[in-house]
Amino acid sequence: MAIDWTLPRLGVFRFFRVAYAGRQELEELTTIRPGGRITRNLGTDLKEEGKLPCVELPSLGDDLVRIYYVVTDDAGQEASIALATMHAVKPKADYTAAAETAELNLMSALLTLQQAKLSASLTIPAGTVAIDAAAAICTALGLPYVASGSTRALTSDASWNAGDTRLKVVNYLLDFAGFWSAQVDGWGRVVFAPYEDPGRRTPVWTFAEGPRCIFEPAASIETDAWDVPNVCVLTASSPTAALSGSYTNDDPGSPYSTVTRGREITLAETVDDAIDAADLNARAEKRLMLATSATERLEIRHAYAPVTIGDVIDFGWNTRGLAMRSAIQSQDLTLTPALPTKSLSKRVWA
């Protein structure tokens, strides 16, 4: 029986030193104090960072730190969640006659891809399967990865200059394949996941008021909708032949559509590569949906629930007349027993 996250729970944290190569756990770290934090943000290149206060700091070198949340609910069910596996840096230590104290800065496992800059120009030839090329970059750097399948191949050569990061290369390849930019899971593995319009996905969690409500009775909703686009036009700058594609939001149920507003607000962009017009049409839909979702932002504070950035959730606070389906953009997790979390999400339209 799985843990019930709507019940009161008792939680503790365990920390392990994890080898860079292979990600195996080497030893438990026992000198980390309560009160650290993890910050996740879908809009940043590295996706997550954090801080851990500690005493008698262990020697980590290039190894990583894995953080587990070990929790038991009131029904006696237990769970152990790997929240993050990150690089740890000690920027400063303070010493007294009694102890050494420090605050570790935690950096995403994607840091390896960001720090590994190209020493010479790189060209990936046309015909290369984009996801295979991204996976090969991770393998060369010793990074474990989890990838969904894709056969989409580059239609023209793609080039980068010396000094560009391998993260930039990987994210280009993922975007071409129709995937999200590189993410990372709790085990420190790089995740390649295909993009899916949040409005077409099933919510993974519902925050609702009532006896088992886990969100605080406070919420903020910010709206910025005056220039939300309802048409996206994409052109390919260097295909074998000139290509263009577009997508129009003409859904009568959307407050931003051409039908509702009675006019077009166009987002126009140029991309470097495209397979055909159908490919550009699909990518235009993705870009338009991302732009549309940025208009209404919901911020709530809640006890930990098994959701993370990119997940779609439902929020309902009937007492205040609030109901919203949204996709989580960022989270701040405070490493204390209830694992209080601040989540910022953006409205999606089903």
Side-chain angles (χ1 to χ4, degrees):
M1 182 177 178
I3 192 169
D4 187 341
W5 294 104
T6 67
L7 292 177
R9 83 286 294 258
L10 293 174
V12 296
F13 299 92
R14 298 181 69 187
F15 306 91
F16 288 84
R17 182 166 68 93
V18 175
Y20 174 83
R23 295 293 197 263
Q24 69 268 27
E25 294 173 3
L26 302 175
E27 63 174 325
E28 186 164 6
L29 304 175
T30 60
T31 60
I32 296 174
R33 301 187 300 179
R37 66 173 179 83
I38 297 171
T39 300
R40 301 166 174 164
N41 193 327
L42 198 63
T44 63
D45 287 341
L46 293 182
K47 300 298 190 292
E48 64 180 14
E49 61 181 12
K51 291 186 180 294
L52 290 178
C54 51
V55 296
E56 299 178 18
L57 200 67
S59 176
L60 296 171
D62 286 334
D63 293 334
L64 293 83
V65 174
R66 180 167 294 152
I67 304 170
Y68 285 102
Y69 183 42
V70 184
V71 60
T72 304
D73 67 23
D74 269 8
Q77 300 301 313
E78 297 182 351
S80 180
I81 309 298
L83 294 174
T85 301
M86 290 192 270
H87 296 279
V89 179
K90 180 181 72 173
K92 184 184 77 168
D94 296 314
Y95 298 89
T96 67
E100 170 194 1
T101 60
E103 187 174 62
L104 288 173
N105 284 343
L106 301 179
M107 303 293 290
S108 165
L110 295 177
L111 183 68
T112 298
L113 286 167
Q114 188 181 69
Q115 289 183 325
K117 296 181 173 65
L118 298 174
S119 58
S121 61
L122 170 69
T123 296
I124 299 178
T128 302
V129 175
I131 294 302
D132 291 351
I137 292 172
C138 289
T139 299
L141 295 173
L143 282 171
Y145 66 89
V146 179
S148 297
S150 170
T151 58
R152 185 171 291 186
L154 299 178
T155 55
S156 62
D157 294 351
S159 298
W160 294 266
N161 298 319
D164 285 340
T165 71
R166 284 176 171 80
L167 183 57
K168 179 179 180 180
V169 178
V170 166
N171 281 337
Y172 173 90
L173 294 167
L174 294 179
D175 181 64
F176 176 81
F179 279 42
W180 293 98
S181 60
Q183 299 188 49
V184 66
D185 66 10
W187 306 97
R189 300 175 299 186
V190 183
V191 177
F192 303 157
Y195 174 82
E196 184 182 0
D197 176 10
R200 297 173 183 167
R201 286 157 43 199
T202 301
V204 301
W205 187 265
T206 297
F207 289 95
E209 63 181 323
R212 293 190 172 185
C213 176
I214 65 169
F215 67 86
E216 294 182 5
S220 298
I221 296 180
E222 181 182 357
T223 303
D224 180 17
W226 68 276
D227 63 346
V228 176
N230 49 28
V231 177
C232 180
V233 176
L234 295 183
T235 56
S237 60
S238 57
T240 55
L243 289 175
S244 65
S246 66
Y247 181 79
T248 299
N249 176 6
D250 55 7
D251 178 6
S254 168
Y256 313 117
S257 71
T258 54
V259 175
T260 303
R261 284 190 150 170
R263 61 190 178 99
E264 293 186 357
I265 303 175
T266 302
L267 170 67
E269 293 183 353
T270 299
V271 298
D272 293 328
D273 200 354
I275 296 174
D276 51 27
D279 174 37
L280 280 175
N281 290 340
R283 291 161 73 178
E285 179 181 3
K286 172 185 172 182
R287 279 166 167 71
L288 185 61
M289 292 303 101
L290 289 172
T292 301
S293 69
T295 58
E296 285 189 72
R297 292 170 286 275
L298 167 71
E299 183 178 286
I300 60 173
R301 296 176 184 271
H302 56 89
Y304 176 78
V307 295
T308 190
I309 52 175
D311 285 344
V312 174
I313 59 171
D314 276 339
F315 174 74
W317 190 5
N318 294 336
T319 302
R320 288 295 182 186
L322 298 177
M324 182 183 293
R325 178 164 295 179
S326 58
I328 299 175
Q329 304 299 303
S330 66
Q331 290 184 314
D332 287 313
L333 295 83
T334 302
L335 305 184
T336 53
L339 193 49
T341 304
K342 179 175 72 173
S343 293
L344 176 67
S345 57
K346 296 178 179 178
R347 181 188 284 275
V348 299
W349 300 94

